[in-house]
Amino acid sequence: MADMMLGMKRSHQCGELRKENTGSQVTLMGWVQRRRDHGGLIFVDLRDRSGLVQVVFSPEVGQEAFTKAESVRNEYVLAVTGDVKARPEGTVNANLPTGEVEVYARQLLILNAAKTPPFYIEDDVDVDEMVRLKYRYLDLRRPEMQRNLIVRHKTAKAMRDFLDRNGFLEIETPMLINSTPEGARDFLVPSRVHPGEFFALPQSPQIYKQILMVSGMERYFQIVRCFRDEDLRADRQPEFTQLDIEMSFVEMDDILSLMEKMVSFIFREALGKEIPASFRRIPYSEAMGRYGSDKPDLRFGLELTDVTDVVKDVEFKVFAAVAKGGGQIKGINAKGCAHFSRKEIDELTKLTAIYGAKGLAYIQMTPEGPKSPISKFFTDEQFADLLQTMQAETGDLLMFVADKPSVVAAALGNLRLELGRRLNLIDPEKLEFAWVVDFPLLEYDAEEKRYVAIHHPFTSPKDEDLSLLDSDPAKVRAKAYDLVLNGVELGGGSLRIYHRDIQEKMFSLLGFSQEEATQKFGYLLEAFEYGTPPHGGIAFGLDRMIMLMMGRDTIRDVIAFPKTQSSSDLMVGAPNTVSPKQLKELHIKLDLPAKLTGKKQG
Amino acid sequence: MADMMLGMKRSHQCGELRKENTGSQVTLMGWVQRRRDHGGLIFVDLRDRSGLVQVVFSPEVGQEAFTKAESVRNEYVLAVTGDVKARPEGTVNANLPTGEVEVYARQLLILNAAKTPPFYIEDDVDVDEMVRLKYRYLDLRRPEMQRNLIVRHKTAKAMRDFLDRNGFLEIETPMLINSTPEGARDFLVPSRVHPGEFFALPQSPQIYKQILMVSGMERYFQIVRCFRDEDLRADRQPEFTQLDIEMSFVEMDDILSLMEKMVSFIFREALGKEIPASFRRIPYSEAMGRYGSDKPDLRFGLELTDVTDVVKDVEFKVFAAVAKGGGQIKGINAKGCAHFSRKEIDELTKLTAIYGAKGLAYIQMTPEGPKSPISKFFTDEQFADLLQTMQAETGDLLMFVADKPSVVAAALGNLRLELGRRLNLIDPEKLEFAWVVDFPLLEYDAEEKRYVAIHHPFTSPKDEDLSLLDSDPAKVRAKAYDLVLNGVELGGGSLRIYHRDIQEKMFSLLGFSQEEATQKFGYLLEAFEYGTPPHGGIAFGLDRMIMLMMGRDTIRDVIAFPKTQSSSDLMVGAPNTVSPKQLKELHIKLDLPAKLTGKKQG
């Protein structure tokens, strides 16, 4: 049986003891990181959230404590009262912040015992993530996981401090809302009180925050849970957290410059890092043109070069046909890669094929001169022109994709990222922020045979493009902006439509019948008629931001209790079956695929 | 068509202009509270979140602005640039913080027009709450609603500031968790990925916060949404917000004194009110005994007096039988109420009947002497004894209930509250905080024929009562505490069980089979074996706290978008029907009561 605390009070955190504490008596509480017996003494590294300190049990200082300490194992929970002493010369541990001192124990309480954990409680532990998730309570004891959650806390705190000082109110919006037709798939919640009806969990508080602007709240924010029932390819979670912001009486510049100040503040407060006070702004068309991406990684060059005009008249049929058909031919100059093997070039070709490229033309600028399967289709003049346009030098590898612009961008944009990694062009310490602006408002979805909103249906068209809404909707640019960091989208937002007629036109362009628009968004359309201020906002993905700040590879490492890729909580075992009584009360029954029927009843 | 903002920047908030601003040019943006035409001028009260200021349109100052202003109606959205001038003597409005100045408009933009709202945008508007909820975006423009949300923001901010300074980390716990057998009814979320399985929305993050203590996070908090699918009698919401706190290495006093500091800090920061630095502590048995409630309103006296011993031998059969059967006879002395009419006493009798009392005996201490239907059953000596015990004086009304203790407490506790209101004993400005401590751990549920946890199954028994767990579970007191303010429970918490064997015994007392306990809580039982620190915590209901702080009668007034009593969102129309495709994807179908079938398909 374990000891009770008996009024013992912790006086210090383990990790904060320094030489200055020498001579004072302290009471520490924490976990046994490890225990060693040496020279008739017992040494215990005691760990708490703040760090480690060495505790020494000596029969001469505390006989009872020493005897008790003999039973102590890893991860036991201890309370120790003792004296801080300077470590003898030669035993100082320079790698440990507390390494100049040790605590000689007078009194020991064993507050709880511990079985041997399934993995070591230390950084960089080599253990399967499924085991870490099942034993999350042990995984979260590891210092690197604690650091992630501490920075997450500090980041959220910094966001709130900044926004509070700038006149924003944090206002909570409902979690049980209505299912809407646009966007990703909703999670549904059957209503017990209203048989046959369902709530939906919010994909974002988009409409509520706009309603708050109609309400005259002027500056709103919320750090809020959102939900999307999508397949979890890539690094996604069914529930995620966003910093959601909306302001009235502003134009785009007001929002962007305030957000730049906020992001600087966050990085300073939570990480102690200084970042630039303002970020470059890149139009969408430029980002796609130069980097093949609307979230370009600006830590390195390797930009795309448009050579359509240069090659449109060559005898190479592929280039000619693409140029004639309104497509593009663009290239990347991989400096110093002329030596790439056939195998390496094949790998790159396969990579571009994933993104739809039908081939990857290339020119190797060897010391013996250019070598290329396509050179024979060029006149000398045409070839020289191409090399000059690509700024080719001996040692370079030039690669080209010819296709419609979206395929060229995706193929070369991803080729660029791959080359950046392979050639070690990416400085992991660098933070390259940029705003991508002037997004298209709509894109045509060939599958659904209708326009879909690139941001969402509430994004305002640019004033100068309003007239194109009728004549050429795909050309309309939006008052939308994304914040990009190191090739990752940190957040995005827009100025909103705040007139009923424009919002109705937008719904109609998106293929909503008037009845559908009224049924799902009638209250918003009506609200716009009662004095709606111009407004706009932005939302940041908190999980992804912390992941980038901490240099992690997955958002699961910055979420205390994440779901697996198959959307399960391995620790608590969710989701799970429920009782027939619960289903009955909710007026639903199971409708299982044939092979599962009978297995899940109850 | 409305004006665009055209780079115009707001320089001031309407409500902040003072005499000191006289002579400066300002740009304001806001809503038209009202417009008056007088003496060839147009006066507009312009409103934003900060308050109102009077704007004057004069043809001499701004002809174009004046002409535009003629089209302005209530709730139009304006941007005005103009000069701040002192109001002429005699026109100063002392009731308005900006009442010494007015703004002469040089330029006016009409940012949006407005239809006439269905109700006035002002405090104390007399309009049905259903209309307010449907047009919530207009209701929230009313200054009193904005104040509620502003104080709510400030309160949450103060909580976070205080807890951050005291070493707490805000850590987010999942919203999609598993359904557990104990507690209220869960909201369920069908899983698309796992056919036939369901997530549950959390009733509280109880287990996750305990797991965080096992994880060594030491001090956790979260302002978090919670869900209970219960019938919304009284002032409840299906989703509500709580401040959730957990700490390791502490005993009860540590938690209580820290929370006292926090509550003081909140009231100072959010309301500018000073409250006592510590709160009285009342054992549960004393609260029930003296006030008939475990959340006593301490703003007034009118305590209950136990007269069982005094009356147990009188000839009045009811008293004798109750006393003999282990029941209680208790009374209240309503000072100065001897004159109550038969009708008034009947009303009070009916009130006590709601809580199970079979009758309300009374004695009227009239100037002519005591008058009572029960006096005949008493000897003179017995009656004198009773009057003395009740400290009866001429003018008093003594009332008695005889029953089992729970009925006596409920009946007289509520009678006490009713008398407090009727006799104007309650000072609405008073804030009477108290901790209620030493709750019973369990109570026997006659219907379910088992013990149920008074707080929850994770609450620790008091050390000195541990041995009673086997012999007399109902006698075991818990390390639990509630914070009560003016008769309302603000929050409650406990020290937790942190040993597997005690937790298992608790589950078994609650009637869980070992299999059930392992299936639902096995991971927690297992976690307790890997070095769990002593820990405890508390949770506060944020909605209710703000309601009390703002002196409102319903939590709906302090929630931006509340649900109705029938669990609907009248503005967005939730819950709602969903498409058959959505149900199919979730592997469920409707199972409607016969009379509804067919109506809700689609």
Side-chain angles (χ1 to χ4, degrees):
Chain A
M1 195 60 197
D3 295 320
M4 308 303 301
M5 283 184 58
L6 304 168
M8 210 184 207
K9 301 255 185 254
R10 187 190 227 178
S11 70
H12 290 74
Q13 300 272 100
C14 296
E16 70 184 8
L17 294 181
R18 294 290 180 279
K19 210 162 187 176
E20 299 83 83
N21 300 100
T22 304
S24 56
Q25 181 174 298
V26 296
T27 296
L28 307 174
M29 300 189 184
W31 287 260
V32 175
Q33 180 68 27
R34 65 177 188 144
R35 167 193 149 184
R36 282 156 299 137
D37 296 19
H38 181 71
L41 302 174
I42 298 173
F43 296 86
V44 163
D45 285 345
L46 195 66
R47 185 194 72 233
D48 64 20
R49 211 177 76 191
S50 68
L52 283 179
V53 72
Q54 177 163 286
V55 178
V56 187
F57 294 90
S58 148
E60 283 163 33
V61 176
Q63 175 62 54
E64 200 184 336
F66 179 83
T67 309
K68 252 187 186 175
E70 291 183 315
S71 71
V72 156
R73 300 283 175 275
N74 279 5
E75 299 309 316
Y76 269 46
V77 187
L78 308 185
V80 175
T81 299
D83 306 307
V84 183
K85 297 192 180 176
R87 290 205 199 181
E89 270 196 42
T91 68
V92 167
N93 180 347
N95 297 321
L96 201 64
T98 63
E100 291 189 288
V101 299
E102 54 196 359
V103 175
Y104 272 75
R106 290 178 180 275
Q107 198 194 345
L108 168 63
L109 299 181
I110 297 180
L111 298 176
N112 219 337
K115 293 200 298 192
T116 303
F119 51 83
Y120 283 109
I121 308 302
E122 59 190 27
D123 287 353
D124 302 315
V125 67
D126 181 25
V127 55
D128 185 73
E129 199 192 358
M130 296 300 114
V131 177
R132 286 175 51 205
L133 288 174
K134 181 172 178 206
Y135 295 96
R136 193 62 163 180
Y137 44 88
L138 297 176
D139 191 35
L140 289 178
R141 280 189 200 162
R142 297 190 303 113
E144 61 181 359
M145 295 301 283
Q146 300 208 334
R147 274 194 301 276
N148 293 343
L149 295 186
I150 289 168
V151 169
R152 187 176 178 119
H153 162 76
K154 284 185 181 174
T155 300
K157 185 72 173 57
M159 288 169 169
R160 290 187 160 107
D161 288 346
F162 180 88
L163 292 167
D164 176 69
R165 282 173 212 171
N166 282 280
F168 287 79
L169 301 177
E170 186 159 23
I171 301 175
E172 297 174 67
T173 54
M175 290 281 159
L176 297 172
I177 67 167
N178 58 337
S179 184
T180 55
E182 195 68 348
R185 198 184 286 111
D186 284 325
F187 279 104
L188 296 183
V189 182
S191 166
R192 179 179 54 85
V193 180
H194 302 275
E197 298 188 347
F198 293 78
F199 294 103
L201 300 178
Q203 295 182 32
S204 90
Q206 182 62 34
I207 299 189
Y208 284 99
K209 71 175 173 172
Q210 291 192 241
I211 287 286
L212 285 170
M213 296 303 103
V214 183
S215 304
M217 303 314 300
E218 301 191 17
R219 293 187 162 207
Y220 145 94
F221 81 100
Q222 192 182 187
I223 298 182
V224 62
R225 201 70 53 82
C226 300
F227 303 84
R228 275 182 209 175
D229 189 11
E230 293 298 318
D231 295 318
L232 304 182
R233 47 183 170 71
D235 198 20
R236 295 242 181 124
Q237 288 279 314
E239 49 179 315
F240 55 98
T241 303
Q242 76 185 31
L243 168 62
D244 197 48
I245 294 176
E246 197 79 6
M247 344 173 34
S248 293
F249 303 118
V250 288
E251 294 175 295
M252 190 175 90
D253 277 353
D254 302 313
I255 299 178
L256 267 47
S257 67
L258 189 69
M259 291 302 99
E260 287 165 354
K261 289 193 188 80
M262 185 188 75
V263 174
S264 301
F265 183 80
I266 291 168
F267 273 72
R268 191 179 313 127
E269 293 288 309
L271 282 185
K273 268 195 190 159
E274 292 299 327
I275 62 167
S278 72
F279 309 147
R280 41 192 291 204
R281 299 184 190 178
I282 307 176
Y284 170 86
S285 58
E286 183 185 332
M288 295 303 284
R290 292 171 60 187
Y291 307 100
S293 169
D294 60 359
K295 40 179 190 280
D297 189 337
L298 300 171
R299 288 175 295 178
F300 65 104
L302 264 192
E303 295 187 18
L304 283 50
T305 305
D306 193 335
V307 297
T308 313
D309 281 346
V310 182
V311 304
K312 67 178 191 294
D313 298 323
V314 300
E315 280 186 26
F316 187 38
K317 272 187 237 158
V318 176
F319 284 4
V322 165
K324 216 168 278 172
Q328 289 179 332
I329 302 97
K330 297 179 86 167
I332 279 185
N333 181 345
K335 288 275 163 202
C337 299
H339 63 277
F340 269 26
S341 67
R342 183 70 233 171
K343 179 162 163 284
E344 281 171 302
I345 293 177
D346 278 353
E347 282 169 8
L348 299 177
T349 307
K350 269 179 201 153
L351 174 75
T352 58
I354 295 172
Y355 300 96
K358 291 173 205 77
L360 183 69
Y362 63 90
I363 304 172
Q364 288 169 294
M365 300 293 288
T366 70
E368 299 77 38
K371 280 172 54 182
S372 170
I374 60 167
S375 56
K376 57 188 170 204
F377 301 112
F378 286 68
T379 66
D380 284 357
E381 200 186 334
Q382 285 171 333
F383 203 69
D385 200 3
L386 178 63
L387 295 186
Q388 200 196 341
T389 306
M390 292 299 295
Q391 303 188 345
E393 300 172 318
T394 302
D396 294 354
L397 172 65
L398 315 179
M399 286 165 283
F400 303 91
V401 169
D403 215 306
K404 59 182 178 189
S406 60
V407 170
V408 171
L412 287 184
N414 283 287
L415 177 63
R416 172 178 177 269
L417 291 177
E418 174 62 22
L419 288 168
R421 279 186 291 264
R422 286 200 186 197
L423 305 178
N424 265 326
L425 300 177
I426 301 172
D427 176 355
E429 292 299 309
K430 228 174 175 179
L431 294 170
E432 284 290 344
F433 292 90
W435 292 106
V436 177
V437 297
D438 290 349
F439 278 84
L441 183 69
L442 301 160
E443 67 183 342
Y444 193 76
D445 186 320
E447 204 171 312
E448 297 209 27
K449 290 193 181 131
R450 65 172 181 106
Y451 286 101
V452 293
I454 297 228
H455 275 77
H456 55 56
F458 313 104
T459 297
S460 174
K462 292 192 89 165
D463 306 326
E464 57 267 45
D465 294 354
L466 265 178
S467 61
L468 292 169
L469 272 180
D470 292 314
S471 56
D472 194 352
K475 281 244 171 68
V476 177
R477 289 165 304 164
K479 292 181 182 171
Y481 33 83
D482 278 359
L483 180 59
V484 173
L485 169 58
N486 293 354
V488 177
E489 183 197 325
L490 274 193
S494 63
L495 277 285
R496 324 298 186 189
I497 298 167
Y498 59 103
H499 294 297
R500 179 173 186 142
D501 53 349
I502 302 177
Q503 188 64 66
E504 281 180 332
K505 175 165 287 182
M506 186 71 179
F507 284 143
S508 143
L509 275 169
L510 296 173
F512 289 32
S513 70
Q514 205 180 334
E515 192 199 342
E516 200 175 5
T518 308
Q519 194 204 325
K520 295 290 185 183
F521 299 111
Y523 65 97
L524 182 68
L525 294 169
E526 197 179 357
F528 281 171
E529 296 191 289
Y530 285 105
T532 297
H535 62 284
I538 192 165
F540 295 91
L542 186 64
D543 308 308
R544 218 180 285 174
M545 189 183 286
I546 311 290
M547 179 185 82
L548 286 178
M549 290 169 76
M550 300 308 290
R552 309 301 300 195
D553 294 327
T554 162
I555 56 170
R556 290 189 297 278
D557 279 356
V558 301
I559 296 172
F561 302 103
K563 305 273 188 296
T564 63
Q565 290 271 325
S566 68
S567 208
S568 303
D569 183 326
L570 295 185
M571 186 183 72
V572 306
N576 207 338
T577 52
V578 297
S579 72
K581 175 165 174 274
Q582 284 176 289
L583 298 184
K584 188 80 195 163
E585 284 181 330
L586 298 175
H587 320 287
I588 58 171
K589 49 190 172 188
L590 299 186
D591 181 20
L592 295 178
K595 59 182 165 130
L596 281 176
T597 310
K599 260 176 64 184
K600 294 287 175 85
Q601 306 288 354
Chain B
M1 195 60 199
D3 295 319
M4 309 302 303
M5 283 185 59
L6 304 167
M8 211 185 206
K9 302 253 186 257
R10 186 190 228 178
S11 70
H12 290 74
Q13 300 271 100
C14 297
E16 69 184 8
L17 294 181
R18 294 290 181 278
K19 212 163 186 176
E20 299 83 82
N21 300 100
T22 303
S24 57
Q25 181 173 299
V26 297
T27 296
L28 307 174
M29 300 189 183
W31 287 260
V32 174
Q33 179 68 26
R34 66 177 188 145
R35 167 192 149 186
R36 282 156 299 137
D37 297 20
H38 181 73
L41 303 172
I42 297 173
F43 295 87
V44 163
D45 285 345
L46 195 67
R47 185 195 70 233
D48 64 19
R49 210 177 75 191
S50 67
L52 286 177
V53 72
Q54 177 163 287
V55 178
V56 187
F57 294 90
S58 150
E60 283 163 32
V61 176
Q63 175 63 54
E64 201 184 334
F66 179 83
T67 308
K68 251 188 188 173
E70 292 183 315
S71 70
V72 157
R73 300 282 175 274
N74 280 4
E75 299 308 316
Y76 270 46
V77 187
L78 308 185
V80 176
T81 299
D83 306 305
V84 183
K85 297 193 179 176
R87 290 205 200 182
E89 272 195 37
T91 68
V92 166
N93 181 348
N95 297 322
L96 201 65
T98 64
E100 292 190 286
V101 299
E102 54 197 358
V103 175
Y104 272 76
R106 290 177 181 276
Q107 200 194 343
L108 168 64
L109 300 181
I110 297 179
L111 298 176
N112 219 338
K115 294 200 297 192
T116 304
F119 51 84
Y120 284 108
I121 309 301
E122 58 189 28
D123 287 353
D124 302 316
V125 69
D126 181 26
V127 56
D128 185 74
E129 199 191 0
M130 296 299 115
V131 177
R132 287 176 50 205
L133 289 173
K134 181 171 178 208
Y135 295 96
R136 192 62 162 181
Y137 44 88
L138 298 176
D139 191 35
L140 289 178
R141 279 190 201 160
R142 298 190 302 115
E144 59 181 1
M145 294 302 282
Q146 300 208 333
R147 273 194 301 275
N148 293 343
L149 294 186
I150 289 168
V151 168
R152 187 177 177 119
H153 162 77
K154 285 185 180 172
T155 300
K157 186 70 173 56
M159 288 168 169
R160 290 187 161 106
D161 288 345
F162 179 88
L163 292 167
D164 176 70
R165 282 173 214 170
N166 282 280
F168 287 80
L169 301 177
E170 185 160 23
I171 301 176
E172 297 175 66
T173 54
M175 291 280 159
L176 297 171
I177 68 166
N178 59 336
S179 184
T180 54
E182 195 70 348
R185 198 184 286 114
D186 283 324
F187 279 104
L188 296 182
V189 182
S191 166
R192 180 179 55 84
V193 180
H194 303 274
E197 299 188 346
F198 292 79
F199 293 103
L201 300 178
Q203 295 182 31
S204 91
Q206 182 62 36
I207 298 190
Y208 285 98
K209 72 175 173 173
Q210 291 192 240
I211 286 286
L212 286 171
M213 295 304 103
V214 183
S215 304
M217 303 312 301
E218 302 190 15
R219 293 188 162 207
Y220 144 95
F221 81 100
Q222 192 182 188
I223 298 182
V224 61
R225 201 69 53 83
C226 301
F227 303 84
R228 275 182 208 173
D229 188 10
E230 293 298 319
D231 294 317
L232 305 181
R233 46 181 170 69
D235 198 20
R236 295 243 182 124
Q237 288 280 314
E239 49 179 315
F240 56 96
T241 303
Q242 76 185 30
L243 168 61
D244 197 47
I245 293 176
E246 196 80 7
M247 348 176 26
S248 293
F249 303 118
V250 288
E251 294 175 295
M252 189 175 90
D253 276 353
D254 302 313
I255 299 178
L256 267 45
S257 67
L258 189 69
M259 292 301 100
E260 288 164 356
K261 288 194 188 78
M262 184 188 75
V263 174
S264 300
F265 184 80
I266 291 168
F267 272 72
R268 190 179 312 126
E269 293 289 308
L271 282 186
K273 269 195 188 159
E274 293 298 327
I275 62 168
S278 73
F279 309 147
R280 42 193 289 203
R281 298 183 190 178
I282 307 176
Y284 170 85
S285 57
E286 183 184 332
M288 295 303 284
R290 292 172 60 187
Y291 307 100
S293 169
D294 60 359
K295 39 180 190 282
D297 189 337
L298 300 171
R299 288 174 297 178
F300 65 103
L302 265 191
E303 295 186 17
L304 281 52
T305 305
D306 192 334
V307 297
T308 313
D309 282 346
V310 181
V311 303
K312 67 177 192 294
D313 297 322
V314 300
E315 281 187 24
F316 186 39
K317 272 188 234 157
V318 176
F319 283 5
V322 165
K324 215 169 278 171
Q328 289 178 332
I329 301 99
K330 297 180 85 168
I332 279 185
N333 181 346
K335 287 275 162 201
C337 298
H339 63 278
F340 268 24
S341 67
R342 183 70 233 171
K343 181 163 163 284
E344 281 171 302
I345 292 176
D346 278 354
E347 282 168 8
L348 298 177
T349 306
K350 269 180 201 152
L351 174 76
T352 57
I354 295 173
Y355 300 97
K358 290 175 206 76
L360 184 69
Y362 62 91
I363 303 171
Q364 287 169 296
M365 301 292 288
T366 70
E368 297 79 40
K371 279 172 55 182
S372 170
I374 60 165
S375 55
K376 58 186 171 207
F377 302 112
F378 286 69
T379 65
D380 284 356
E381 199 185 334
Q382 286 170 333
F383 203 68
D385 200 4
L386 178 63
L387 296 187
Q388 199 195 342
T389 305
M390 293 298 295
Q391 302 188 346
E393 298 172 319
T394 301
D396 293 353
L397 172 65
L398 315 178
M399 286 164 283
F400 303 91
V401 170
D403 216 306
K404 59 183 178 187
S406 60
V407 170
V408 171
L412 288 184
N414 283 287
L415 177 64
R416 173 178 176 270
L417 292 177
E418 174 62 22
L419 288 169
R421 280 186 290 265
R422 285 199 187 198
L423 305 179
N424 266 324
L425 301 176
I426 302 173
D427 177 355
E429 292 300 308
K430 228 174 174 180
L431 294 170
E432 284 290 345
F433 292 90
W435 292 106
V436 177
V437 298
D438 290 349
F439 278 84
L441 183 70
L442 301 160
E443 67 184 342
Y444 192 75
D445 186 320
E447 203 171 310
E448 298 209 26
K449 290 191 181 131
R450 65 172 181 107
Y451 285 101
V452 294
I454 296 231
H455 275 77
H456 54 55
F458 312 104
T459 297
S460 173
K462 293 192 86 163
D463 306 326
E464 57 267 44
D465 295 352
L466 265 177
S467 61
L468 292 170
L469 271 180
D470 292 314
S471 56
D472 194 353
K475 281 245 172 67
V476 177
R477 287 165 304 162
K479 292 181 182 172
Y481 34 82
D482 277 0
L483 181 58
V484 172
L485 169 58
N486 294 353
V488 177
E489 183 197 324
L490 274 192
S494 62
L495 277 285
R496 323 300 185 187
I497 298 168
Y498 59 102
H499 294 296
R500 181 174 184 138
D501 52 349
I502 301 178
Q503 188 66 64
E504 280 179 333
K505 175 165 288 184
M506 186 71 178
F507 284 143
S508 141
L509 275 170
L510 295 172
F512 289 31
S513 70
Q514 204 179 335
E515 192 199 342
E516 199 175 5
T518 308
Q519 194 204 325
K520 296 290 183 182
F521 299 111
Y523 64 97
L524 182 69
L525 294 170
E526 197 178 357
F528 282 170
E529 296 191 289
Y530 285 106
T532 297
H535 62 285
I538 191 166
F540 295 92
L542 186 63
D543 308 308
R544 218 179 285 175
M545 189 183 286
I546 312 290
M547 179 186 83
L548 285 178
M549 290 169 77
M550 300 307 290
R552 309 300 299 196
D553 294 326
T554 161
I555 56 171
R556 291 189 296 278
D557 279 356
V558 301
I559 297 172
F561 302 103
K563 305 273 189 296
T564 63
Q565 290 270 326
S566 68
S567 208
S568 303
D569 183 327
L570 294 184
M571 186 183 72
V572 307
N576 208 338
T577 54
V578 299
S579 72
K581 175 165 174 273
Q582 284 176 288
L583 297 184
K584 188 81 195 163
E585 286 181 330
L586 298 176
H587 321 287
I588 57 172
K589 48 189 171 189
L590 299 186
D591 181 20
L592 295 178
K595 59 184 166 133
L596 281 174
T597 311
K599 261 176 65 183
K600 294 286 176 85
Q601 307 286 355

